[in-house]
Amino acid sequence: MTPLLSVRSLTKRYGARIGCADVSFDLWPGEVLGIVGESGSGKSTLLNCLAGHQAPDAGQVLFDTRAEGPRDTVTMSEPERRMLGRTDWAFVHQHARDGLRMGVSAGGNVGERLMSVGARHYGDIRAAAADWLGRVEIDTSRIDDRPTQFSGGMQQRLQIARNLVSGPRLVFMDEPTGGLDVSVQARLLDLLRGLVRDMGLSAIVVTHDLAVVRLLAHRLMVMKDGHVVETGLTDQVLDDPQHAYTQLLVSSVLQV
Amino acid sequence: MIAVSDVSKTFTLHNQGSAVIRVMEGATLSVAPGECVALTGASGAGKSTLMRMIYGNYLAASGRIMVGETDVAQAEPREILTLRRDVLGYVSQFLRVVPRVPTLDVVAEPLLARGIDATSARTRAAELLTRLRIPETLWTLSPTTFSGGEQQRVNIARGFAHAYPALLLDEPTASLDAANRETVLTLIEEAKARGAAILGIFHDVEARARVCDREVDVTAFTPDRAA
């Protein structure tokens, strides 16, 4: 088996400051990798470099493409990378409004992604949109409503539907449950777990919420000051942390 | 099926003066298919620590932990994940689940993770919940609101849903009434009969005497604190 994503020595600097430095890891099909660390630890920079939203200064991001096998997405042409962004990749933003078109109906938001990969039949697109609204537990009677009329949790679920409708193989998520009520978070986590399992998705989830990664991620990577300080099985890293910073992070969680 | 040899464990507390605590040395034991072995020793002697190392939840400082063909002490995370999905089950004392997920799905999840279709997985889950006397009216509710004993039984149902070749049981009969205790002991006997290798912690002396073939006292693996 080939890793879906192989990252080698990825480095991004902002002038003299380090965004992320010398990050290497493999992500295997069906695996969810959590990246945790405090604000400014470089986790979002890393995610953006992986997803092609920012250009790294050094390193490789090898993605196992369907047609040609592993390709370095850093050196790939912009159109090729954008094509991946519409097909095999998906990006779930923390703020749903960054990942949705707020002036377009819910059905349109989901359908647009299908049209971007060539779907043209109106009936098929609408049926797929309705199917996906159902899967993310949005009543299909809301298909013609705009996201502005949705609650925060519904917007986030709509963003997920829009991202997953084209059957991606790798999903990048930036604080997917951030800013949501805990009750809404739980429902979203359950939904994401089910989708990962049923669609065999791989995902990279950036969050500062250790409870979220415990339930969602198979493996964990802990970042501090742009460096990866610890990696391992999620429950092992959280229950038996080895690095001083991870120990501090885990012991600082407030108990409910 | 389970073979632990010369395993040691230390905890380094970086934020408390980098204190190094040696908690285990020279831990060695084995469990054959169809056998149930009890870990004994006083509270704090390291029974749960050893069990957690076998599950890959704690990192062993040294030694070998073979479960089937996998050395948990050396394995990559994804190898341990595969081992946990297919080979090694663990019934801990605490139920940790996504809030709001129905009990039936919590129990069916290990089967769904192995790619078994939802209908068969739920049928098996229902069978176990019935045997463990969780009223059907509760199956659609999340177990997070259940009593301690009910949560324990949901945890056991989940641990026995798939016929794992190796099982770790941490106090499986704690906080259970007589009838449910009997059911759990029967489940353990059935698992042994189908060839599962079981390692358990039982404070319940009678239960231990009934299902366990041997005892391993972990006190033997406690480092000399004075040294």
Side-chain angles (χ1 to χ4, degrees), chain A residues 66 85-92 99 109-110 113-114 117 128-129 131-133 135-136 156-173 188 191-203:
Chain A
R66 291 182 211 228
R86 288 197 300 270
T87 53
D88 272 347
W89 291 0
F91 197 102
V92 176
N109 263 288
V110 180
R113 174 133 170 149
L114 281 178
V117 289
D131 173 46
W132 266 95
L133 290 182
R135 288 210 226 178
V136 298
Q156 197 57 298
R157 280 180 275 135
L158 178 62
Q159 192 194 181
I160 289 166
R162 174 182 162 100
N163 268 288
L164 298 189
V165 66
S166 58
R169 292 189 294 153
L170 175 58
V171 186
F172 301 99
M173 299 189 219
L188 197 66
L191 175 74
L192 287 172
R193 271 165 68 112
L195 291 171
V196 164
R197 187 185 62 217
D198 299 339
M199 299 175 71
L201 289 176
S202 300

Side-chain angles (χ1 to χ4, degrees), chain A residues 27-150:
Chain A
L27 182 75
W28 298 84
E31 220 172 40
V32 178
L33 174 72
I35 304 178
V36 297
E38 59 201 3
S39 306
S41 60
K43 54 192 197 304
S44 293
T45 295
L46 175 60
L47 193 73
N48 283 319
C49 287
L50 296 176
H53 295 175
Q54 282 183 319
D57 295 314
Q60 292 180 308
V61 179
L62 299 167
F63 178 73
D64 187 21
T65 61
R66 291 182 211 228
E68 300 166 68
R71 296 262 330 260
D72 187 355
T73 65
V74 176
T75 54
M76 188 179 263
S77 72
E78 184 63 24
E80 283 180 300
R81 203 159 44 228
R82 292 172 75 125
M83 190 60 189
L84 271 184
R86 288 197 300 270
T87 53
D88 272 347
W89 291 0
F91 197 102
V92 176
H93 295 264
Q94 174 177 5
H95 301 291
R97 53 182 58 244
D98 295 337
L100 290 173
R101 294 226 287 150
M102 301 305 281
V104 174
S105 71
N109 263 288
V110 180
E112 189 181 47
R113 174 133 170 149
L114 281 178
M115 289 169 68
S116 77
V117 289
R120 288 294 174 264
H121 187 278
Y122 177 79
D124 291 349
I125 294 171
R126 192 169 170 87
D131 173 46
W132 266 95
L133 290 182
R135 288 210 226 178
V136 298
E137 301 168 30
I138 294 174
D139 195 313
T140 43
S141 69
R142 304 294 300 270
I143 192 166
D144 295 317
D145 291 349
R146 289 180 183 185
T148 44
Q149 294 164 287
F150 288 180

Side-chain angles (χ1 to χ4, degrees), chain A residues 1 28 31 183 186-187 189-190 193 197 214-215 218-219 233 235-236 239-240 242-244 247-248, chain B residues 9 11-15 52 56-59 77-78 80-81 84 96 98-101 109 112-113:
Chain A
M1 197 160 65
W28 298 84
E31 220 172 40
S183 59
R187 187 170 176 190
L189 280 177
D190 180 38
R193 271 165 68 112
R197 187 185 62 217
R214 189 187 278 276
L215 294 173
H218 301 117
R219 277 166 52 207
L233 272 179
D235 61 272
Q236 181 262 304
D239 293 340
D240 187 15
Q242 306 293 308
H243 190 274
Q247 292 186 357
L248 181 67
Chain B
K9 173 70 192 161
F11 288 106
T12 306
L13 308 177
H14 292 287
N15 301 302
R52 281 166 171 252
N57 178 233
Y58 281 1
L59 285 181
R78 66 190 190 96
I80 297 181
L81 290 167
R84 288 178 180 183
R96 207 189 292 262
V98 181
R100 302 179 42 160
V101 176
E109 199 187 16
L112 297 174

Side-chain angles (χ1 to χ4, degrees), chain B residues 164-176:
Chain B
Y164 295 104
L167 259 178
L168 305 172
L169 307 174
D170 194 348
E171 293 274 15
T173 56
S175 64
L176 296 185

